[in-house]
Amino acid sequence: MKELALGLALMLGSVSGLAIGASPALAQDMSNGADNFYRSDRVVVEKITFENKFGMKVVGNLFTPQGLDRSAQTPAIVVGHPMGATKEQSANLYATKLAEQGFVTLSFDLSFWGESEGQPRNTVAPEIYADDFSAAVDFLSTQPFVNKDNIGVLGICGSGSFALSAAQIDPRMKAIATVSMYDMGAANRDGLRKGVSVEQRKEMLKVAAQQRLAEYQGAEIKLTGGTVDELKADSNAIEREFYDFYRTPRGEFTPKGQTPLQTTHPTLSSNAAFMNFYPFAQIKTISPRPLLFIAGEQAHSIEFSENAYERASEPKELVIIPGAGHVDLYDRVNLIPFDKLTAFFRGNLSS
């Protein structure tokens, strides 16, 4: 298979399989307030489970402000993690910080990832991912201390596109925000800055179909894409950016039953499902519910937030964070605009 464009290589990787060994984690960059595993004594955390419409168990964390008046009804926010990650990576941080501001928040593992159900593990299934967001709204709507008419959604990286997809068919999502959003469909079809040709796309689909048949006939499941398992002299800047989060103590997290070599990598045969994923197709129909897009000024992914903003109807807002890259907004609390997110949800999740 031909070498793919720089950006696409990050998302899809080599179809020849994963490296057997990985070099020791390099010194991680914990500057600018990187604090992925932040905990707060002002927030109570409870492990919860709920089912999506496919009957699959979704596992999440419910965050409530310390001393919450459970006889009242409080606005709530669903928080989705980056694609290939788990709730312990970025989503819990955002959920904790927003719970400190008085919201009930819920982070969860997308189906097939983390603690949530789904086999084979790491399967790409955008329709199911989107339904997980609606299932989280179902759960929150049945909690007596949650105002079911004031539930917002926040999607980080790939979950931004899943949240938008869900919001187009679920009017209960009253306010929708994304941070460092990836359009997972466009990223796989076209690559970053449209760096992938139609012929390269067809080759990827051919390889995925061949792998699907091989697995049907008993071959082992093969993984692809995600974050590189080791850095090399020629590793590009985007690979290094993700490696610094996912492969070092800054943000590394391996779910029970997996190994670090499996984390972040989707299955090769299922990754083709993203080719038919168009999360912005009906984005105009979300209006008059408000949309907030947040992206780093230096983020390689900024094109996706800009595209979504351009295609969306009012009310909408695009906030660009000076000096921030894509992964910076996963966990660098000195750069993440929590005040802006708080104001957005507070202003739009009210009686």
Side-chain angles (χ1 to χ4, degrees), residues 167-188:
Q168 291 169 40
I169 59 173
D170 193 336
R172 299 173 301 168
M173 299 175 183
K174 189 172 180 181
I176 301 92
T178 70
V179 175
S180 288
M181 178 173 57
Y182 249 95
D183 175 345
M184 294 305 302
N188 282 268

Side-chain angles (χ1 to χ4, degrees), residues 150-167:
N150 283 294
I151 297 176
V153 174
L154 168 61
I156 304 162
C157 186
S159 274
S161 59
F162 309 142
L164 288 173
S165 178

Side-chain angles (χ1 to χ4, degrees), residues 176-221:
I176 301 92
T178 70
V179 175
S180 288
M181 178 173 57
Y182 249 95
D183 175 345
M184 294 305 302
N188 282 268
R189 285 188 301 274
D190 306 319
L192 296 176
R193 297 175 292 280
K194 300 189 183 301
V196 174
S197 69
V198 173
E199 289 308 311
Q200 286 174 318
R201 183 192 308 173
K202 289 181 178 179
E203 180 66 16
M204 288 186 287
L205 292 174
K206 176 183 175 181
V207 172
Q210 291 172 338
Q211 180 61 27
R212 176 179 178 136
L213 177 59
E215 290 173 6
Y216 181 81
Q217 295 173 320
E220 290 187 5
I221 293 172

Side-chain angles (χ1 to χ4, degrees), residues 58-93:
V58 179
V59 179
N61 290 327
L62 183 68
F63 299 79
T64 54
Q66 190 73 254
L68 177 71
D69 181 0
R70 293 186 173 240
S71 66
Q73 293 188 325
T74 302
I77 303 168
V78 177
V79 183
H81 59 74
M83 176 60 201
T86 66
K87 61 186 178 301
E88 288 79 13
Q89 293 165 311
S90 193
N92 279 354
L93 168 62

Side-chain angles (χ1 to χ4, degrees), residues 105-139:
T105 60
L106 189 163
S107 69
F108 67 95
D109 288 324
L110 291 169
S111 294
F112 305 100
W113 298 89
E115 297 181 277
S116 291
E117 286 187 341
Q119 293 292 339
R121 303 307 294 163
N122 300 18
T123 291
V124 170
E127 179 186 357
I128 297 178
Y129 297 165
D131 189 74
D132 290 339
F133 277 88
S134 288
V137 174
D138 292 336
F139 174 85

